Amino acid sequence: MVAFGKRLKERQIQEWQEYYINYKLMKKKVKQYAHQIEVGTLERRQVLKDFSRMLDNQIEKIVLFLLEQQGLQASKLTKLREQHDALEAHPQISKITELREAYRGVGHDLLKLLYFVEMNAIGLRKILKKFDKRFRYRFTDYYVKTRANHPYSQLQQVFKHVGLGAVVGAVSRNLHELQDRQGSYLSIYDSPSLPLQDPVVDSIKAAVDRLTHSTNFLNFMAQHALIMQEELPAPVEQRIDEEKYHFMSLLLNLANTFLYMVNTYIIVPTADNYSMSLGAAATVCGIVIGAMAVAQVFSSVYFSAWSNRSYFRPLIFSSIVLFVGNAMYAMAYDLNSLTVLLLGRLFCGFGSARAVNRRYISDCVPLKIRMQASAGFVSASALGMACGPALAGILQTDFKIYKLTFNAVTLPGWVMAVAWLVYLVWLWFSFKEPSRDFEENNSSHASEKAEKTELEKGLKQPLLITSEEKKEDDEDPEADGSEEAPEESRRPATSMVSAYRLLTPSVKVQLLIYFMLKYAMEILLSESSVVTTYYFGWSTGTVAIFLACLGLTVLPVNIVVGSYISNMFEDRQILLASEIVVCLGILLSFHVIIPYSVPQYVCSGLIMFVSAEVLEGVNLSLLSRVMSSRLSRGTYNGGLLSTEAGTIARVIADATITIAGFFGQSQLLNITLLPSLVICVVSIVATCCTYNSLF
């Protein structure tokens, strides 16, 4: 990620340059303080006092300029209101058009002001983070609490953009009134959901949404999907997004996500019985379930690369492969072939288009609804995870049509084959391939737009730095430790190796945590049928209900964490606490007390699964913020890295179940839980070592 100081200097509005936060000066001051404390010429208390005063001065400079600009915009709106009133008495089409353009001009000025506030807010957050990391002191908590809660808070002006809402409302309302409403007397206050077809208002709304971006349920869910966005705004891309967006195509992507998750988990309750019916041991279910994950390790890469050129073709290919794979899975029973069964599951894994689903949302959904689409991606995954086992529990019948058997172990395959066939037909007639012309001409759109307004000049000009600045930034890396040479800052990673090199130590730890939680969850889910049958004599229906109940906890848990817990604690605190609770759940799952009881298994499994879900959401939320911006684009992106980490964890977990089966079903539970415990302890230690570098 390019140093924020460089981006701020190059993207700021030039005529307002002196009113931005002096990030470079403050970064130098942090270095100076560190040196003075080291040599003993300055006390820590004096550093805190001096740095607080400097921050107060910077914020005051920003706020006073902001108030001045708000006053100028208010004066313009007052004069335009007088012209508007005059036109109501004597309407003239040419004058109405001129007035509408004048309001749009105020809207463009307002956009400049919103981007000014946003960049300063980002700068303040980053310099506070840098100070905390350098001095191992929770200065940010102290500063924000004392300043934000004060009755004369200037910090609120920056982070809550107090007063700008009234200006936004005035521009929106007047543009709404000047539109041809065909006799309608409704205002924006009478019908807030009434669409206003004006690009300026849409851009303002998107900018306000970015500025009010805070930890809530929707944002938490969106980050859970790890669909990454760049931190600094790029409004020129908004029109391109609008052109590429097609609601039905988005719906088809979410349907693909849902069906694939159903496909993954629908066989879990019956995989052990299917293995035994083909003459294999019950624990071979680990290989049967894991075969899909093995293929997904490879399919994620080629689907990610394919999505650089098309979205429609990969989805068509995915649907066909999944149809064939499920049909093979179902027919393996009549063919009495374990090989066909495994090949069917491999085919299903080769049809995993989750990389395409993520990429479509990232590239083709407008910024203003991208968060909702990302949250929809997570919700579709969670719903599919719950519906898969539930469907398996319902499909408890046995009959034949010609030579094809339809029973509890084959029906999941047949049902999913039909589902993918129906989906394929729907996809063929309803999906709209986004135009690639926009991506090819992106730079030309940007240059044209840059010629029209000073704002976009500031945002789109080349990111150039002097050798002196480069040397200084090399000596003092950013807090997230992920700086890159400016000429490479926009270039995506070209291989898995180059992508790995872009990962900072803290990001590597978070990927380890992701690996750990996916491993633990896969062990719990994949061996549930074997373990519960051995210890408690559960039927397939009972196992299906248990797994469905676990899946149904995903959304409620994310609502609680996203809406409440994340507002009370720091993400890194929730991260560490969740890891500890996962470890506790693993410990409680061990069979050390005879007899092994249902309450022990259910409670420990619930603790492990729920805490792992909390951990996954927080972990991916952190990852989406600290990964290099180069990993937000291209084939080898952040979503692919996390997918590969989770998929490899599932493969290893399923292989562990099969290997542990050689020691007998009585030892299966403890043998498979032991690696989970070791990996969990290692991840906790790694988190503690990198705790201060996390957000």
Side-chain angles (χ1 to χ4, degrees):
M1 189 180 294
V2 178
F4 175 77
K6 300 170 190 173
R7 288 185 293 162
L8 177 61
K9 181 178 179 180
E10 296 299 333
R11 295 192 182 190
Q12 63 190 208
I13 301 165
Q14 296 305 311
E15 63 266 29
W16 294 354
Q17 193 170 9
E18 61 184 295
Y19 302 107
Y20 282 88
I21 181 175
N22 197 332
Y23 185 81
K24 184 177 178 181
L25 172 66
M26 300 192 77
K27 192 167 71 169
K28 284 184 176 179
K29 269 292 187 182
V30 171
K31 284 183 65 178
Q32 183 182 331
Y33 290 146
H35 177 70
Q36 290 174 329
I37 289 177
E38 187 178 346
V39 299
T41 58
L42 199 63
E43 292 183 359
R44 185 178 290 267
R45 175 179 286 182
Q46 183 62 36
V47 168
L48 297 177
K49 181 179 179 182
D50 192 35
F51 192 66
S52 296
R53 188 188 304 116
M54 183 184 297
L55 273 174
D56 290 341
N57 291 337
Q58 291 289 319
I59 291 171
E60 184 176 272
K61 173 184 70 175
I62 295 165
V63 169
L64 291 178
F65 176 74
L66 179 61
L67 292 173
E68 179 187 342
Q69 291 299 312
Q70 285 179 218
L72 290 174
Q73 301 309 317
S75 298
K76 290 181 184 178
L77 287 170
T78 301
K79 293 177 182 178
L80 292 175
R81 182 71 254 178
E82 293 172 359
Q83 297 176 34
H84 195 170
D85 291 341
L87 278 175
E88 285 184 350
H90 305 285
Q92 298 179 38
I93 294 177
S94 61
K95 294 290 184 181
I96 290 174
T97 302
E98 290 177 10
L99 186 59
R100 188 185 297 127
E101 289 303 316
Y103 273 113
R104 285 178 180 149
V106 175
H108 282 295
D109 291 339
L110 185 57
L111 265 177
K112 292 168 65 175
L113 202 55
L114 287 166
Y115 290 129
F116 169 81
V117 176
E118 181 175 3
M119 292 179 74
N120 280 294
I122 294 171
L124 285 171
R125 179 174 61 79
K126 281 187 170 287
I127 199 64
L128 285 167
K129 173 190 167 187
K130 181 178 284 293
F131 188 91
D132 283 354
K133 182 180 180 182
R134 180 61 67 94
F135 298 103
R136 299 290 189 266
Y137 186 79
R138 294 171 62 98
F139 175 76
T140 300
D141 291 351
Y142 156 77
Y143 188 82
V144 172
K145 286 178 182 176
T146 54
R147 268 61 176 177
N149 295 327
H150 196 276
Y152 306 127
S153 172
Q154 292 180 322
L155 193 64
Q156 289 282 2
Q157 291 276 351
V158 179
F159 284 101
K160 298 297 184 183
H161 49 93
V162 179
L164 281 175
V167 184
V168 173
V171 173
S172 302
R173 185 179 67 82
N174 282 283
L175 280 173
H176 182 277
E177 289 181 359
L178 289 169
Q179 280 191 343
D180 181 11
R181 283 291 166 184
Q182 299 180 346
S184 172
Y185 293 95
L186 291 176
S187 75
I188 60 173
Y189 304 112
D190 297 318
S191 184
S193 61
L194 197 66
L196 177 56
Q197 302 297 328
D198 197 293
V200 173
V201 176
D202 287 341
S203 297
I204 291 173
K205 185 178 182 301
V208 171
D209 288 344
R210 285 182 62 90
L211 200 52
T212 54
H213 187 74
S214 60
T215 303
N216 53 38
F217 169 58
L218 197 59
N219 178 41
F220 184 82
M221 293 287 282
Q223 290 174 328
H224 198 151
L226 202 63
I227 296 169
M228 297 166 56
Q229 301 174 22
E230 292 194 45
E231 190 165 40
L232 289 180
V236 74
E237 296 174 0
Q238 185 67 22
R239 182 180 65 83
I240 299 170
D241 282 342
E242 295 284 357
E243 294 284 348
K244 296 196 307 186
Y245 175 60
H246 182 237
F247 174 74
M248 185 57 71
S249 300
L250 173 61
L251 192 62
L252 282 160
N253 262 277
L254 297 179
N256 184 282
T257 300
F258 169 76
L259 285 176
Y260 187 78
M261 292 302 290
V262 172
N263 211 147
T264 301
Y265 290 100
I266 194 171
I267 73 156
V268 173
T270 58
D272 57 336
N273 290 334
Y274 207 161
S275 300
M276 288 189 292
S277 69
L278 298 178
T283 51
V284 173
C285 70
I287 293 180
V288 175
I289 296 169
M292 195 169 178
V294 170
Q296 191 178 342
V297 172
F298 303 99
S299 66
S300 296
V301 178
Y302 68 72
F303 271 116
S304 183
W306 202 349
S307 65
N308 290 327
R309 300 185 300 275
S310 174
Y311 300 101
F312 178 65
R313 293 187 187 92
L315 290 175
I316 289 289
F317 176 78
S318 166
S319 304
I320 294 171
V321 172
L322 281 159
F323 168 75
V324 173
N326 281 289
M328 289 176 67
Y329 180 86
M331 289 190 292
Y333 185 87
D334 293 305
L335 296 173
N336 194 30
S337 172
L338 185 63
T339 303
V340 174
L341 182 73
L342 293 174
L343 284 174
R345 287 297 286 178
L346 281 171
F347 264 74
C348 290
F350 284 127
S352 171
R354 286 176 69 79
V356 179
N357 304 144
R358 277 195 178 102
R359 186 73 178 273
Y360 184 86
I361 294 173
S362 177
D363 291 352
C364 303
V365 175
L367 186 63
K368 61 183 179 181
I369 63 166
R370 194 172 298 161
M371 190 181 296
Q372 291 93 323
S374 302
F377 176 86
V378 176
S379 301
S381 299
L383 190 59
M385 186 179 180
C387 287
L391 271 175
I394 295 172
L395 301 174
Q396 300 296 308
T397 186
D398 192 350
F399 62 93
K400 271 197 170 190
I401 298 179
Y402 297 108
K403 294 183 179 181
L404 297 178
T405 302
F406 296 85
N407 57 24
V409 297
T410 62
L411 274 172
W414 290 121
V415 168
M416 292 312 304
V418 172
W420 284 114
L421 186 61
V422 172
Y423 175 81
L424 179 62
V425 175
W426 180 24
L427 181 71
W428 183 267
F429 289 104
S430 301
F431 191 87
K432 179 182 177 183
E433 179 76 87
S435 172
R436 294 283 166 171
D437 294 336
F438 290 102
E439 293 178 9
E440 294 170 3
N441 298 324
N442 196 1
S443 58
S444 63
H445 281 301
S447 60
E448 287 176 15
K449 196 78 172 177
E451 292 174 0
K452 294 180 181 178
T453 66
E454 290 295 322
L455 166 63
E456 283 130 9
K457 279 184 182 178
L459 291 173
K460 290 294 176 183
Q461 60 186 317
L463 298 177
L464 302 176
I465 62 168
T466 64
S467 58
E468 181 183 351
E469 288 171 327
K470 187 179 188 303
K471 180 180 178 182
E472 175 197 343
D473 284 308
D474 286 341
E475 292 172 353
D476 186 19
E478 280 293 327
D480 56 13
S482 55
E483 287 190 52
E484 298 153 16
E487 63 271 15
E488 297 179 353
S489 63
R490 303 288 298 175
R491 191 182 307 161
T494 55
S495 67
M496 197 66 79
V497 174
S498 62
Y500 182 79
R501 287 173 181 166
L502 293 173
L503 303 180
T504 62
S506 60
V507 173
K508 290 176 183 176
V509 169
Q510 287 170 271
L511 287 176
L512 171 64
I513 294 170
Y514 192 65
F515 177 92
M516 177 273 293
L517 68 92
K518 284 296 182 184
Y519 182 93
M521 290 172 68
E522 188 71 8
I523 289 291
L524 172 65
L525 298 174
S526 295
E527 71 177 12
S528 58
S529 183
V530 179
V531 169
T532 55
T533 301
Y534 177 78
Y535 286 107
F536 318 126
W538 282 7
S539 65
T540 299
T542 308
V543 177
I545 292 171
F546 171 68
L547 294 177
C549 289
L550 286 181
L552 288 172
T553 63
V554 174
L555 285 179
V557 166
N558 279 313
I559 291 173
V560 172
V561 175
S563 300
Y564 303 105
I565 296 178
S566 61
N567 291 326
M568 294 185 287
F569 302 98
E570 296 179 19
D571 281 354
R572 58 182 181 177
Q573 293 173 327
I574 303 172
L575 187 82
L576 184 57
S578 300
E579 285 182 88
I580 294 171
V581 177
V582 169
C583 189
L584 178 64
I586 294 171
L587 285 171
L588 291 175
S589 298
F590 276 94
H591 179 201
V592 291
I593 301 174
I594 300 175
Y596 194 59
S597 64
V598 172
Q600 180 185 350
Y601 177 77
V602 172
C603 291
S604 61
L606 192 61
I607 291 171
M608 188 196 310
F609 188 84
V610 169
S611 55
E613 276 299 322
V614 174
L615 181 59
E616 181 176 6
V618 176
N619 188 53
L620 292 182
S621 174
L622 285 168
L623 270 174
S624 69
R625 282 182 271 165
V626 300
M627 268 194 178
S628 168
S629 60
R630 288 176 62 185
L631 293 175
S632 65
R633 301 175 301 278
T635 300
Y636 302 95
N637 52 61
L640 176 64
L641 289 179
S642 64
T643 298
E644 292 291 84
T647 304
I648 291 171
R650 289 171 51 207
V651 170
I652 296 174
D654 291 323
T656 303
I657 293 171
T658 301
I659 294 170
F662 289 107
F663 297 93
Q665 291 189 27
S666 60
Q667 301 298 319
L668 175 68
L669 184 64
N670 288 346
I671 291 175
T672 53
L673 287 174
L674 191 58
S676 300
L677 181 63
V678 172
I679 300 170
C680 188
V681 171
V682 170
S683 71
I684 291 172
V685 173
T687 302
C688 292
C689 292
T690 59
Y691 185 78
N692 289 317
S693 65
L694 299 174
F695 273 91

